[in-house]
Amino acid sequence: MSPRRNRPNAGGSSFGSSEDEGRRYGGFQSTESWQGEEWSVRHVAGASAAGKTYRCPGCDQEIASGVAHVVAWPQYGGVDDRRHWHKACWNAKDRRTTKVQRSRNAPRY
């Protein structure tokens, strides 16, 4: 039996492209329009969020450590403008009311 050949195909994708690097380091980033403003959106893998908890502005619930989520900020905003959202909350942002309704026993942070 002949040894296995580990050569990339001629028609295969190129290694080290910026798209691959974006997915490898910090998740896939894109730009979306919302409320008349351009937003930078980055998808964060659960492994990248280990040891950290965030509060989702969409549902006002905690995003537990190690849970995949979305980080969004205005395109011309700074570090302080970044917000961490659940993926479902970010996708439903246009269907939500302007004020989040809490139950009586929900903690206020």
Side-chain angles (χ1 to χ4, degrees):
M1 183 183 319
S2 62
R4 181 177 171 196
R5 295 183 187 193
N6 289 326
R7 295 183 190 150
N9 294 336
S13 65
S14 62
F15 293 102
S17 69
S18 62
E19 184 177 316
D20 289 339
E21 289 177 9
R23 290 183 182 156
R24 185 181 312 139
Y25 301 110
F28 179 73
Q29 186 169 335
S30 63
T31 303
E32 296 183 22
S33 179
W34 181 49
Q35 294 182 341
E37 195 172 359
E38 293 296 318
W39 289 73
S40 295
V41 180
R42 180 176 292 162
H43 296 268
V44 178
S48 299
K52 304 172 191 170
T53 58
Y54 302 102
R55 174 120 353 233
C56 175
C59 65
D60 202 32
Q61 299 294 315
E62 281 190 359
I63 301 173
S65 173
V67 174
H69 61 279
V70 174
V71 179
W73 65 95
Q75 189 171 9
Y76 299 107
V79 174
D80 294 334
D81 296 327
R82 291 186 299 186
R83 297 293 175 257
H84 297 255
W85 296 68
H86 291 107
K87 287 182 181 183
C89 294
W90 177 255
N91 292 335
K93 64 190 173 295
D94 293 327
R95 297 187 302 264
R96 294 190 177 274
T97 61
T98 56
K99 185 175 180 183
V100 175
Q101 302 287 325
R102 296 186 198 206
S103 65
R104 292 182 186 201
N105 59 355
R108 297 186 183 264
Y109 293 96

